Amino acid sequence: MNENSEIKKLLHQFILNQCSVEETNKVVEYYRNNKLTSDFPEVEDIKSLLDDMPEMDESTADRIFSNILINAKETEAMEIVPEKNPFRKYIGIAASILVLLTIGLSYQQGFFNPKATPVSNSNEITLQLENGEIQVISAGKKSQIADAEGNVIGNQNGNKIIYDTKTPAEKLIYNTLKIPYGKRFELQLSDGTIVHLNSGTTLKYPVKFIAGENRQVFLDGEAFFDVTKDKTHPFVVNADNLNVRVLGTHFNVSNYPEDNSTDVVLVEGSVGLYTAKEQFNAEKNTILKPGFKGSFSKINNQIKTKAVVTDVYTAWIKGGLTFRDMTFKDISKKLERHYNITIVNQNGKLSNEKFNASFGDEPIAKVLSYFNEIHGINYTLRNNEVLIK
């Protein structure tokens, strides 16, 4: 694990108040070594204050962390001159949040927005408006989507939100859609682009795209994009330190924070891949052809490509799962997101073993039964926890 991903993980643990003294010290040390703040509290002071911090549920902590990541990405993508250390934005934006948390302010007091509606169930699909207000999206229902002033900007029809494509806009106003583990959702943006969102995904996007500017969205998680063609307004997916640029095409982007790479699989058309530090250049950047996957390493910032069977990477859209030469450790991650379960693997040798398997829209019990019958993997399934022995 590189330094950036380690600190990122520690920040999440910090917000959940799950850091040990040693881990807290690493966060503080990172602040000071990078001169991000000169007056950050001592480790002992932080631990003392955390002991008195109001209890926070995991869904609330996840929302705070999502705001840190998404706002950091937007800031980084908008800058013309990148900083020497791109991860400083994550730390810098997190700083004020962490300090407020350590002195006992709870999220319910409205740090992001005093009008924000608390969401008590982490299994709910949520829509966050520009002003921070949180709306719960009840899948399967029909309703209108309104902005902070009450103006209707779109409609929900079952498991899909469709934004208004007619009314022009003068400035960018963002909404953020968060899909929890165990659920999927569909979104139609104001330009007609269709986005399928996988479990555990957060997408930040403009309510309306602006004439003369790129159509840019920010992705954490996995999504399949069917982009409406518009040669004068390129569509850009910002996935951490990777930008994916298209004019109109079909492609899948997988960018979960816990994964070591961001994968882009092209089904149709053409896709340009370049880092957040670069300007797009068709002659210098990586251009994918249909049937190819581009993998951006979060460790060394390199992009590698190879031919793939695209169906393997898009089966999730219809509820399926396909594993090809995949380690059990990575399979476990996908199963946890897909079924909203926790997998505890006590068989250390199993983690790096590789498997091939395909499933339709099957219950988790059937998937586990397959691994038991074909590969002799013993397990216990109780409630939402799987114990591998």
Side-chain angles (χ1 to χ4, degrees), residues 328 355-357 359 364-379 388:
F328 191 78
F355 299 88
N356 294 297
F359 306 94
I364 182 60
K366 188 167 183 178
V367 175
L368 293 172
S369 178
Y370 163 83
F371 280 104
N372 174 255
E373 294 175 5
I374 304 300
H375 300 288
I377 297 175
N378 296 318
Y379 69 93
I388 306 293

Side-chain angles (χ1 to χ4, degrees), residues 156-174:
Q156 178 197 351
N157 187 359
N159 290 329
K160 183 177 182 179
I161 289 179
I162 302 173
Y163 279 84
D164 177 29
T165 60
K166 299 178 181 178
T167 307
E170 297 181 355
K171 66 176 183 177
L172 288 174
I173 297 175
Y174 287 92

Side-chain angles (χ1 to χ4, degrees), residues 116-158:
T117 303
V119 179
S120 60
N121 189 346
S122 61
N123 291 325
E124 293 169 328
I125 298 172
T126 59
L127 178 69
Q128 181 173 328
L129 306 184
E130 176 85 356
N131 69 344
E133 179 185 344
I134 305 291
Q135 298 179 1
V136 175
I137 303 299
S138 299
K141 294 187 178 181
K142 291 186 177 182
S143 63
Q144 292 182 324
I145 303 298
D147 60 18
E149 284 71 43
N151 302 311
V152 176
I153 56 177
N155 292 280
Q156 178 197 351
N157 187 359

Side-chain angles (χ1 to χ4, degrees), residues 305-341:
T305 65
K306 70 174 183 178
V308 296
V309 178
T310 59
D311 288 350
V312 171
Y313 300 89
T314 60
W316 66 264
I317 298 173
K318 295 183 179 180
L321 286 169
T322 301
F323 310 123
R324 290 291 179 269
D325 198 31
M326 185 177 294
T327 65
F328 191 78
K329 180 180 178 180
D330 289 337
I331 289 175
S332 295
K333 290 180 186 177
K334 288 184 177 292
L335 293 178
E336 286 182 325
R337 293 192 289 251
H338 192 82
Y339 292 104
N340 189 23
I341 59 174

